[in-house]
Amino acid sequence: MTSNLSNAVKLQQQLDKERRLVSTDSYDLSVGQLLSMFEAGEIEVPPEYQRQFVWDEVRESQLIESVLLGIPIPSLFMATNADSTWEIVDGVQRLGTIAHFSGRPDLLRKVVKNEPLKITGLDKLSALNGETIEGLSKPLQLMFNTRPMRVTVLNDKSDQGVRFDLFERLNTGGISLTNQEIRNCVFRGPFNEDLKRLSSHASFLSSVKIKSGDQRNGTLEEFVLRFFAFFDNYVGFDHSVKDFLNEYMKYRASGRLSLVEERLFKDTFDVISQNLPHGIVRGQRVTPVNLFEGVAVGVALAIKSGRPVHPARLAGLLGDSNLRKFTTGATNSKKAVVGRIEYVRDALVR
């Protein structure tokens, strides 16, 4: 009984704490209002979401049919930016579809479409098949533009940690965003821009091998983020990589990398690319993140130490049995993270 009571109290405390962090407003806006806001840049679709414009014309047509029939559409979810514009969190396909159907040139460009949507595949409103919005009567066009859509907006009273959590939970597009793509949306700013810029640095690209399908989903930027986050505070890591990277990116979001940091990054990957011509791999085609952390941060710490560095030892380290112990099994334990980074560091300077 005592245990159940204490759990109930703990649960209530957690609910009270977390619920206070989430603050939303709700609106019923017409389709026309939403489109005008989107066209004016008052609603933003982050570049990362462009991968989610994947509905075919039949599915888009079904949504337009639902709007015209007055069938309730799931709420669009937005987050408020610092300049009071809204950024879409959930509902990219729905917003993209009504923009596609609208035929407005500026909106077609925003949703990466060349032509207005031509309705197809409908059963209930089969007379609409083959029509674009221009082919509808003025009363039908007015009906479409005045249909209400529910919008829920995470306002600026909610912190960025909550914002990341909601992007992750509500990310229901046809192609889900990666954690780094969500960070790119949530933690915008100079630091994020620097991560993207350094992710195209030549020696970094020759050192880090990723799947071809990961080239445009934030994977490279996350490797750069891991480098700086673990270099700055690997001893403070405590098991959750996602939370560790989120907190670091949140902390650094509004500032740029220093020239010293950027120079160290480039020197590190110059050393790695020269001594590991096949990249940070162990026979695989891709770079394991745990091996990357050990090698990249270990090399950077060795350079930063000011002691003589022996980079020729890197090739032998990839197959080193002791390093393998730190990069297999429970690789996200604090012991493993500290172990692999310091093992590489020490091997290069002793």
Side-chain angles (χ1 to χ4, degrees):
M1 179 67 71
T2 302
S3 176
N4 289 340
L5 182 61
S6 62
N7 282 339
V9 171
K10 183 178 180 181
L11 175 58
Q12 189 60 54
Q13 290 172 339
Q14 290 176 338
L15 280 169
D16 291 343
K17 176 186 175 184
E18 298 302 326
R19 283 172 65 87
R20 281 195 297 268
L21 294 174
V22 183
S23 182
T24 61
D25 300 306
S26 294
Y27 305 89
D28 287 312
L29 299 179
S30 70
V31 167
Q33 287 175 306
L34 278 170
L35 292 175
S36 294
M37 290 180 70
F38 189 20
E39 191 170 34
E42 295 164 356
I43 293 176
E44 297 180 3
V45 176
E48 290 77 12
Y49 273 97
Q50 288 190 359
R51 293 196 301 118
Q52 291 200 356
F53 293 131
V54 294
W55 278 4
D56 60 28
E57 291 191 346
V58 172
R59 193 167 181 187
E60 287 187 305
S61 297
Q62 290 169 346
L63 179 75
I64 300 304
E65 180 182 51
S66 295
V67 172
L68 289 171
L69 290 172
I71 296 172
I73 305 298
S75 178
L76 301 175
F77 203 100
M78 311 278 185
T80 303
N81 295 318
D83 61 0
S84 295
T85 59
W86 293 347
E87 182 170 304
I88 192 145
V89 179
D90 184 56
V92 176
Q93 299 281 15
R94 281 162 272 154
L95 180 62
T97 294
I98 63 173
H100 187 193
F101 185 61
S102 76
R104 301 184 192 181
D106 287 346
L107 291 180
L108 291 177
R109 282 191 289 272
K110 285 177 179 283
V111 297
V112 201
K113 301 293 184 182
N114 295 320
E115 300 289 340
L117 174 65
K118 182 180 289 188
I119 299 299
T120 186
L122 299 186
D123 294 325
K124 290 189 173 105
L125 298 181
S126 58
L128 270 181
N129 290 328
E131 297 287 356
T132 65
I133 194 166
E134 289 299 322
L136 301 186
S137 66
K138 293 300 180 183
L140 274 180
Q141 290 184 32
L142 180 62
M143 177 190 292
F144 174 73
N145 282 309
T146 55
R147 284 296 190 194
M149 296 189 75
R150 189 73 168 172
V151 180
T152 301
V153 182
L154 180 71
N155 62 41
D156 54 10
K157 295 177 184 176
S158 300
D159 67 26
Q160 287 182 313
V162 172
R163 187 164 165 148
F164 180 94
D165 190 41
L166 289 175
F167 265 74
E168 185 177 44
R169 289 171 186 246
L170 296 172
N171 177 24
T172 59
I175 300 175
S176 295
L177 298 185
T178 64
N179 283 341
Q180 189 57 36
E181 286 178 306
I182 297 174
R183 291 186 192 103
N184 291 344
C185 296
V186 174
F187 305 114
R188 289 181 178 180
F191 182 67
N192 187 31
E193 294 167 7
D194 286 343
L195 296 184
K196 290 182 177 182
R197 179 170 51 80
L198 288 180
S199 70
S200 62
H201 183 64
S203 61
F204 169 77
L205 290 175
S206 69
S207 303
V208 177
K209 306 301 180 183
I210 64 174
K211 298 176 183 177
S212 58
D214 290 337
Q215 293 289 341
R216 298 179 61 188
N217 68 2
T219 296
L220 289 170
E221 293 102 297
E222 182 170 302
F223 272 102
V224 181
L225 174 63
R226 284 173 180 265
F227 172 82
F228 287 108
F230 283 102
F231 176 79
D232 278 354
N233 191 30
Y234 70 93
V235 293
F237 173 77
D238 188 20
H239 199 67
S240 173
V241 176
K242 182 179 72 174
D243 292 343
F244 180 72
L245 296 180
N246 285 354
E247 286 300 316
Y248 185 77
M249 197 158 178
K250 176 182 177 182
Y251 167 69
R252 299 223 41 186
S254 61
R256 304 214 79 96
L257 286 168
S258 70
L259 293 177
V260 172
E261 288 176 310
E262 187 166 332
R263 183 71 265 161
L264 178 62
F265 176 88
K266 292 178 178 178
D267 287 347
T268 295
F269 288 99
D270 287 347
V271 167
I272 293 172
S273 64
Q274 290 163 13
N275 290 275
L276 298 177
H278 300 296
I280 306 173
V281 295
R282 283 194 182 117
Q284 313 100 317
R285 294 182 179 181
V286 298
T287 298
V289 291
N290 48 20
L291 185 62
F292 169 83
E293 292 159 5
V295 172
V297 180
V299 169
L301 289 172
I303 294 172
K304 185 75 180 293
S305 72
R307 298 163 64 185
V309 179
H310 305 281
R313 296 173 182 172
L314 276 174
L317 278 174
L318 292 184
D320 185 280
S321 59
N322 289 317
L323 184 58
R324 281 184 181 273
K325 293 177 184 177
F326 291 121
T327 55
T328 55
T331 57
N332 285 335
S333 67
K334 182 172 182 176
K335 180 179 179 181
V337 169
V338 173
R340 58 180 171 253
I341 290 172
E342 294 188 348
Y343 188 81
V344 172
R345 178 198 65 188
D346 295 344
L348 296 179
V349 296
R350 65 171 176 253

